Amino acid sequence: NRLEGGGISPGADWGEVIDSVKYKLTTAVLARVTGSENFHAKNWIPQILTVVDTDEGGYPLQSEVLALAAQLQKGRGLNVVISIKDGSFLGNGVFEKSQQCKTTLKKFMEKERLTGYAKV
């Protein structure tokens, strides 16, 4: 038996091998998603989608979500902050309300130093 013959001990640490397999698998998936074979993990820029519930004026009901997104982003990458509203976009004054909500949401993003786009 190879384990008992002095080759590999039963208590061997396999952590490095498993970590290497995880790294290779992750880089392969990211390379496939980006469409580039010349991919290196250090060049990857995070892109975060943040969903925020807002009131009618566009004020976030839980501004902590934007603070958390800013911490996750750490000044790098791109963040898309969205707020989903119920109703028809074709209604009277709905477009104007959505633009006002977007402007207010963008102000909160600037306050948290969160770079990216706001969509309503």
Side-chain angles (χ1 to χ4, degrees), residues 30-44:
L30 288 173
R32 182 167 277 196
V33 169
T34 60
S36 172
E37 295 299 323
N38 298 326
F39 177 81
H40 195 279
K42 71 178 182 180
N43 297 328
W44 183 69

Side-chain angles (χ1 to χ4, degrees), residues 21-99:
V21 170
K22 287 180 186 177
Y23 174 78
K24 286 293 190 184
L25 181 62
T26 302
T27 55
V29 168
L30 288 173
R32 182 167 277 196
V33 169
T34 60
S36 172
E37 295 299 323
N38 298 326
F39 177 81
H40 195 279
K42 71 178 182 180
N43 297 328
W44 183 69
I45 298 174
Q47 296 180 3
I48 302 172
L49 174 66
T50 306
V51 181
V52 179
D53 194 16
T54 57
D55 64 8
E56 291 299 319
Y59 294 93
L61 298 179
Q62 296 173 333
S63 61
E64 299 87 15
V65 174
L66 293 176
L68 175 64
Q71 289 177 359
L72 290 173
Q73 187 181 18
K74 295 183 181 177
R76 295 183 42 181
L78 178 68
N79 199 320
V80 178
V81 179
I82 65 168
S83 178
I84 301 172
K85 297 294 182 186
D86 189 28
S88 173
F89 198 67
L90 301 175
N92 191 17
V94 174
F95 178 76
E96 290 78 14
K97 285 182 183 179
S98 70
Q99 291 303 308

